[in-house]
Amino acid sequence: MRQGLGRAVAAFFLITAPVLALNERDWTTFNWSVADDRFGGLSAFDWVDAEDGRFVALGDRGLFVTGRVIRDDAGQITGIEDTVLSPVRNPEGAQVDGRDADSEGLAIRGDGRLFLTFEGHHRMWTYRDTGSEAAWMPRDPSFRSLHWNSGLESLAIAPDNSLFTITEDTRTSQGDFPVYRYARGAWQNAGTLPRQGDYLITGADFGPDGYLYVLERGFSGIFGFRSRVRRFEWTGRALREIDTVMQSPASRHGNLEGLAVSRTADGNLRLTMVADDNFLRLLRTEIVEYTLQESLD
């Protein structure tokens, strides 16, 4: 996220802002803390096995956080066990640091291979697991024109194993967000995602229904963060917007940046999102989940 954003919002959390009930879909939140100074700044989240609760989260200072969520009989998260923090490593096996450490997007393939996108030094690396060294992926020449700290924010794996990444706030001359698709060893221009309002891209995931879900963040000054999830269909040439499946009012949640979409035990879709505390005590790390009651297949 933008570095100045955390400082700008800190004053908001010294007051209590009203919560407006604009969206009444089922949602829950779990406040997450780990007794380790490295923990925080979570920018991405993906399931290794959603049914078993095993996940990988990604910190934007080059940190993997793995664990397993525990749920009650109603499916609500009540705890996290087996938490392990591991450094994100470069191709030489050393921990990333400086501008190379701004890890933002995460996607996990069915065989367990991980893919990460980075801002600052715009690129995508891949990993066998969270303990391995990185391997380079090809870089598209257009990545050089991406704005610093506004680049490859979100990453998602499509059903055909192609990779989609969308920029946070680098926009076309029309004001829309460029979309890149990686398939058959090369990057392709996948069109744009139309901007609506003042929201910026923070996360994305393909759901089990084959649609792309895109998490966006709005900032309302002293009234805090707003979040929205829009749903898209990949037509083979471009993303076609279908609808908005979730929209939260200001201050209901923190700075939601990571998104993973899965099925609940009873077959509904579940949006699991993680909040970035930007390493500020006045912000919070939380896991927020929305259950979409209607069938979206």
Side-chain angles (χ1 to χ4, degrees), residues 3-19:
Q3 291 180 337
L5 181 58
R7 294 189 296 270
V9 302
F12 156 71
F13 291 91
L14 298 177
I15 65 173
T16 301
V19 175

Side-chain angles (χ1 to χ4, degrees), residues 242-290:
I242 299 175
D243 55 9
T244 296
V245 299
M246 171 268 188
Q247 186 164 332
S248 69
S251 83
R252 173 180 284 181
H253 307 302
N255 177 26
L256 299 181
E257 289 215 4
L259 169 67
V261 185
S262 61
R263 289 272 184 210
T264 64
D266 55 4
N268 291 315
L269 285 178
R270 175 187 283 141
L271 311 178
T272 302
M273 294 163 281
V274 66
D276 181 355
D277 68 352
N278 207 33
F279 292 95
L280 291 171
R281 292 184 179 180
L282 297 174
L283 298 177
R284 61 190 184 273
T285 299
E286 60 179 336
I287 299 177
V288 173
E289 294 194 313
Y290 278 72

Side-chain angles (χ1 to χ4, degrees), residues 69-269:
V69 301
I70 305 302
R71 300 183 184 274
D72 60 20
D73 291 341
Q76 182 172 347
I77 296 176
T78 58
I80 295 177
E81 64 179 17
D82 303 329
T83 303
V84 176
L85 278 60
S86 308
V88 172
R89 302 184 184 278
N90 64 22
E92 288 70 47
Q95 182 173 357
V96 294
D97 59 10
R99 290 185 65 173
D100 281 349
D102 193 358
S103 44
E104 293 289 346
L106 166 70
I108 304 175
R109 203 166 62 188
D111 60 2
R113 177 163 287 276
L114 296 90
F115 298 86
L116 272 64
T117 52
F118 295 79
E119 290 187 321
H121 182 193
H122 306 293
R123 68 200 188 279
M124 183 167 70
W125 282 349
T126 182
Y127 297 80
R128 293 187 307 274
D129 52 53
T130 57
S132 76
E133 74 283 356
W136 276 96
M137 302 286 286
R139 298 177 70 198
D140 191 84
S142 64
F143 289 175
R144 300 189 186 99
S145 65
L146 298 178
H147 301 163
W148 179 79
N149 211 33
S150 299
L152 305 178
E153 179 77 12
S154 63
L155 185 63
I157 295 182
D160 64 358
N161 282 331
S162 61
L163 291 147
F164 285 74
T165 183
I166 310 169
T167 64
E168 178 187 11
D169 195 21
T170 297
R171 284 172 254 161
T172 66
S173 58
Q174 290 76 35
D176 297 326
F177 302 103
V179 181
Y180 301 93
R181 179 174 181 259
Y182 183 82
R184 295 182 293 277
W187 288 100
Q188 305 164 4
N189 183 332
T192 61
L193 188 148
R195 190 182 193 203
Q196 290 186 3
D198 62 350
Y199 287 86
L200 301 179
I201 309 298
T202 61
D205 191 31
F206 276 90
D209 53 6
Y211 294 117
L212 178 65
Y213 292 79
V214 178
L215 173 63
E216 300 170 288
R217 175 192 61 225
F219 180 53
S220 300
I222 64 170
F223 297 106
F225 296 101
R226 294 168 281 114
S227 297
R228 179 175 70 190
V229 176
R230 287 191 284 167
R231 183 169 61 126
F232 296 83
E233 178 186 18
W234 171 245
T235 67
R237 301 185 63 179
L239 293 174
R240 181 179 69 87
E241 184 171 358
I242 299 175
D243 55 9
T244 296
V245 299
M246 171 268 188
Q247 186 164 332
S248 69
S251 83
R252 173 180 284 181
H253 307 302
N255 177 26
L256 299 181
E257 289 215 4
L259 169 67
V261 185
S262 61
R263 289 272 184 210
T264 64
D266 55 4
N268 291 315
L269 285 178

